[in-house]
Amino acid sequence: MDLSASTLLCPPLEFTDKKENGVISPSDSSCLKKQQPTIPMEFIWVKEGVGHAHEELREPVVDLEGFFQGDEVATQNAAMLIRAACLNHGFFQVINHGVDSHLITVAYDHMEAFFKLPLSKKLRAQRKPGCLWGYSGAHADRFSMKLPWKETLSFGFHDNGPEPVVEDFFKSTLGQEFDQTGLVYQKYCEAMKELSLALMELLAISLGVDRSHYREFFKEGNSIMRCNYYPPCQEPGLAFGTGPHCDPTSLTILHQDQVGGLEVYVNNKWRTVRPRRDALVINLGDTFKTHSQALSNGRYKSCLHRAVVNRYKERRSLVFFVCPREDKVVTPPEDLVCREGTRKYPDFKWSDLLEFTQKYYRADDATLQNFTKWLLSSKPPNHH
């Protein structure tokens, strides 16, 4: 995930001959879909090549059926597998997760319909400066170099009031003709929220804390849904769909199509995460790491990962980023701190980390360390 913002003002993306102040100024994301022999320099990450993974991540596949049926032995087994994954790298996959496969298929259908719209229609949902929600072509509204080779549509979700916030987003930005799309993603987000709370319960069990601790903490959360579209790239060795980063959020629930492209950095090697139609990929983010190194006091890991691109095939993914309510103070469970003896991170509000990654820092593998320095230097004592 890339929720961060650049302090550099960057140009949009359609390359023309028109110049502003002597600089060629792009205006949209159409260069992502143009057939051209080389990619624009703004998309190049490493000139000598990004180096793709050749080994598969042997992450555990966690069957949730027993947990949902109330089988305590199966629940403990699932928690044990999750614990092993989170102590090692923070990635695992879940099956029998309770999310309707037809709903996932329809969500992909609506995503494909949106990204195939003319640019003028997609721009009706264009993300505004300082806002997380809307359409973005290569995040060119936020970054000037090392642009990701993708288009995204992002929107928020919570169920803390009577309004269906996802349906409202689609109606207000794209109009009545997107009523059905809004309804599909409203249902998808509701299913993700339900699954996320189940996963939070299993994470609590895996850490040996009160099993309702994280479920209660996140039940009023404000989460983020993102549809990712990665067009074919004529120079996949120079570009990324999403560059290496750790998610600043708490928990990520991802469904990827069968093309593949997700890679995780484990034991000093990049490894692929094989797509499974029946599975959802789960990874911990920095907020849980701090909630683990705040929520689990540093026991569990948020892993560096990236998305590579394909020369011949487009790739799509559905991503649900689980976040606490913005005013929630992120702090580890007291009994966990008592057992560990030391605190690894200061308390903070999710809004603090969100502000840091939106205004001051582009998410990478050192986000937490730099956020902690920024927090301690920029916030007065007892600012919570």
Side-chain angles (χ1 to χ4, degrees), residues 81-261:
L81 290 173
I82 289 171
R83 177 182 174 83
C86 293
L87 287 171
N88 188 22
H89 47 64
F91 264 77
F92 56 96
Q93 298 204 49
V94 294
I95 57 173
N96 294 317
H97 41 66
V99 181
D100 188 340
S101 61
H102 178 66
L103 178 59
I104 295 173
T105 299
V106 173
Y108 274 117
D109 291 342
H110 281 266
M111 183 205 304
E112 186 162 357
F114 173 81
F115 286 117
K116 289 198 182 314
L117 288 172
L119 181 64
S120 59
K121 287 199 172 183
K122 288 186 283 193
L123 289 177
R124 282 156 56 184
Q126 185 174 22
R127 187 165 64 190
K128 295 175 174 57
C131 181
L132 282 172
W133 322 136
Y135 167 76
S136 174
H139 293 340
D141 53 322
R142 293 149 61 204
F143 310 133
S144 59
M145 297 299 291
K146 294 187 175 180
L147 297 179
W149 192 265
K150 68 177 176 180
E151 297 176 67
T152 63
L153 179 66
S154 306
F155 42 93
F157 171 76
H158 67 79
D159 52 7
N160 302 328
E163 303 83 11
V165 294
V166 177
E167 290 183 66
D168 290 349
F169 167 82
F170 278 90
K171 284 180 188 175
S172 63
T173 58
L174 291 164
Q176 293 293 329
E177 64 265 40
F178 284 85
D179 279 3
Q180 190 63 30
T181 303
L183 178 61
V184 166
Y185 285 118
Q186 180 76 34
K187 297 286 186 190
Y188 189 87
C189 288
E190 288 169 357
M192 290 294 107
K193 170 71 178 290
E194 187 174 346
L195 174 60
S196 74
L197 294 180
L199 292 168
M200 289 300 174
E201 187 170 335
L202 283 165
L203 283 163
I205 295 169
S206 76
L207 281 163
V209 300
D210 186 292
R211 66 191 294 163
S212 66
H213 179 86
Y214 298 132
R215 180 184 277 273
E216 289 298 311
F217 187 87
F218 285 97
K219 72 178 181 181
E220 294 181 341
N222 293 317
S223 294
I224 300 160
M225 178 73 205
R226 177 167 293 167
C227 303
N228 288 319
Y229 170 70
Y230 304 91
C233 178
Q234 58 272 35
E235 293 188 290
L238 299 180
F240 282 121
T242 305
H245 68 287
C246 297
D247 294 346
T249 49
S250 296
L251 190 75
T252 302
I253 306 174
L254 174 141
H255 192 279
Q256 56 176 335
D257 67 13
Q258 295 303 294
V259 174

